[in-house]
Amino acid sequence: MKILILGVNGFIGHHLTQRILDETDWSVFGMDLSDDRLGKNLQNPRFHFIEGDIAINREWIEYHIKKCDVVLPLVAIATPKLYVEDPISVYNLDFEMNLNVIKQCVKYHKRVAFPSTSEVYGACPDPEFKEDESTLVVGPIRKERWIYSCCKQLLDRVIYAYGTRGHLEFTLFRPFNWIGPRLDSLYAAKEGSSRVVTQFIAELFMKRPITLVDGGSQKRCFTYVDDGIGALLRILANEGDVCKNQIINIGNPENECSVRELADLLKKLFINHPDHRADETYSEIIEVPAQTYYGEGYQDIYARKPNIEKARLLLGWSPKVGLEDSLRMTLYSFLEENEP
Ligand code: UDP
């Protein structure tokens, strides 16, 4: 099988590429702006990388959509700080650019595995979010955080409509707070624009305060990337066509914790790390109002828990890695990469 991955150097893209090359006989054709996370895979004869931009290298993309069996358009801005700071770029990249790719998948009759997001459920009050039942709830327009959720939701609806009319074979997958090595860079964290786990790890590393937005009682379910990629591989294999035109949550409901618990746990793991046991000081944990941290356009999501019955049933998959192990592996890998 030939897989096209746009955004192959991203968090999901580079982990997926590694696993495809290690565990299957498939070939990967990948494009990204840079290749710093791809390491030794760049030398693998089944991996074909080109440095490029989906807004510019359109001919390469069209040619490879024609040539490949499955398309994974993973290029997107997916960090809440940027939804608020630069909503137009979120719209251009996450919606318009990806819509072009989807239209070409329709044109050339190619299967697409598209990253929807747990963010589409927004402020849904359900205790567990279900793909085919839960209501998708967003805030007013002046709360610009929701642009990402809306862009993804509309794409989900466009893809679904093409699918139900027989013009496209798709699987929409919804990652719930995947974490792991190389989630975000230290550089992004210095800017304060990385996702919460990397942000907290980087603060510990830089001895800066850990900031709990609005007190940190909001909850997330953190999913270790190896588990998530395991589900994705099964979606790509699509044995017996089980994933055809399905929407599938990929998350770990067992790993639910509040942002405050997350901060405490990461601080404990950091203090117990062999290189940091004897540090003279450690980051304090402080509270910051959301408006100060993110600005006026932000609104939080207080709970986000996946129902994963569909993934269990269709893919025979369930997540294995617990919260503390997931955080330890993410922390240790960050320290290994950034320690002088
Ligand atoms: N958050 C926080 N401190 C930070 C960064 C994030 O308390 O330094 C909170 C944020 O308000 C949100 C949660 O952590 O409730 C998860 O944020 P993340 O950026 O990982 O993305 P989300 O899960 O909201 O998509």
Side-chain angles (χ1 to χ4, degrees):
M1 194 154 61
K2 295 193 195 78
I3 319 275
L4 175 62
I5 305 181
L6 303 172
V8 74
N9 188 51
F11 175 56
I12 296 180
H14 85 281
H15 279 285
L16 178 63
T17 299
Q18 174 83 54
R19 288 277 291 279
I20 290 176
L21 297 175
D22 286 351
E23 294 176 18
T24 74
D25 59 0
W26 307 339
S27 302
V28 176
F29 295 80
M31 174 185 279
D32 210 312
L33 296 169
S34 51
D35 63 4
D36 57 301
R37 287 151 149 171
L38 293 165
K40 64 175 175 24
N41 292 326
L42 289 165
Q43 269 76 55
N44 190 309
R46 282 187 292 120
F47 182 47
H48 311 274
F49 175 76
I50 179 178
E51 201 174 289
D53 185 331
I54 71 161
I56 298 166
N57 302 79
R58 293 178 189 225
E59 277 179 22
W60 187 94
I61 293 175
E62 181 158 0
Y63 176 76
H64 284 83
I65 289 175
K66 234 187 300 181
K67 177 172 169 161
C68 289
D69 303 297
V70 189
V71 180
L72 274 129
L74 299 179
V75 176
I77 294 172
T79 44
K81 190 103 190 213
L82 295 172
Y83 311 157
V84 180
E85 280 176 10
D86 196 0
I88 302 296
S89 294
V90 172
Y91 167 77
N92 282 333
L93 190 65
D94 294 20
F95 187 80
E96 285 206 356
M97 292 299 148
N98 280 289
L99 184 61
N100 289 338
V101 173
I102 297 300
K103 285 184 173 170
Q104 286 179 359
C105 293
V106 171
K107 182 172 169 191
Y108 296 108
H109 310 289
K110 296 300 169 163
R111 180 152 71 95
V112 64
F114 189 78
S116 177
T117 167
S118 51
E119 178 99 4
V120 294
Y121 297 104
C124 173
D126 296 354
E128 285 190 354
F129 300 160
K130 289 191 179 169
E131 299 89 335
D132 302 315
E133 271 124 81
S134 288
T135 304
L136 313 179
V137 182
V138 297
I141 303 297
R142 69 186 178 87
K143 295 295 179 186
E144 294 184 309
R145 183 238 167 93
W146 300 110
I147 197 159
Y148 174 69
S149 181
C150 289
C151 287
K152 286 287 196 179
Q153 185 189 147
L154 187 53
L155 271 174
D156 285 5
R157 292 187 187 278
V158 171
I159 290 168
Y160 187 87
Y162 277 128
T164 50
R165 269 111 190 120
H167 302 307
L168 180 67
E169 189 180 324
F170 73 85
T171 307
L172 291 166
F173 62 96
R174 295 192 172 148
F176 280 68
N177 289 81
W178 291 14
I179 60 169
R182 300 171 296 279
L183 173 60
D184 295 300
S185 67
L186 176 61
Y187 173 76
K190 276 185 178 153
E191 306 265 287
S193 66
S194 80
R195 286 160 279 206
V196 67
V197 168
T198 329
Q199 195 64 46
F200 286 1
I201 291 174
E203 308 303 12
L204 287 160
F205 177 72
M206 295 185 288
K207 310 273 177 220
R208 302 196 313 196
I210 288 178
T211 52
L212 304 178
V213 169
D214 281 347
S217 62
Q218 61 277 45
K219 290 181 177 170
R220 296 290 185 275
C221 296
F222 296 98
T223 308
Y224 195 60
V225 66
D226 288 359
D227 276 335
I229 297 293
L232 210 39
L233 285 172
R234 289 173 194 218
I235 288 174
L236 292 176
N238 192 28
E239 273 173 29
D241 238 9
V242 285
C243 306
K244 185 176 172 183
N245 298 359
Q246 295 289 345
I247 307 176
I248 305 176
N249 288 339
I250 308 180
N252 190 336
E254 306 284 308
N255 284 356
E256 184 171 50
C257 80
S258 72
V259 168
R260 180 180 286 279
E261 286 161 352
L262 175 74
D264 290 338
L265 201 46
L266 281 171
K267 187 168 172 179
K268 183 188 90 179
L269 290 168
F270 183 84
I271 292 173
N272 288 329
H273 187 276
D275 295 347
H276 291 280
R277 254 174 231 154
D279 288 5
E280 279 168 16
T281 57
Y282 298 103
S283 300
E284 53 175 339
I285 297 175
I286 60 168
E287 295 182 17
V288 181
Q291 262 57 32
T292 313
Y293 189 84
Y294 287 107
E296 282 302 317
Y298 186 73
Q299 226 173 11
D300 217 322
I301 293 168
Y302 296 102
R304 176 193 282 165
K305 190 183 211 171
N307 177 295
I308 55 168
E309 278 317 298
K310 267 187 98 175
R312 279 193 225 279
L313 224 67
L314 298 177
L315 309 175
W317 170 89
S318 57
K320 302 274 180 298
V321 188
L323 181 64
E324 190 157 335
D325 284 343
S326 304
L327 293 175
R328 184 183 301 104
M329 289 189 277
T330 307
L331 170 76
Y332 278 37
S333 127
F334 181 96
L335 295 177
E336 236 164 69
E337 268 155 40
N338 292 291
E339 220 78 79

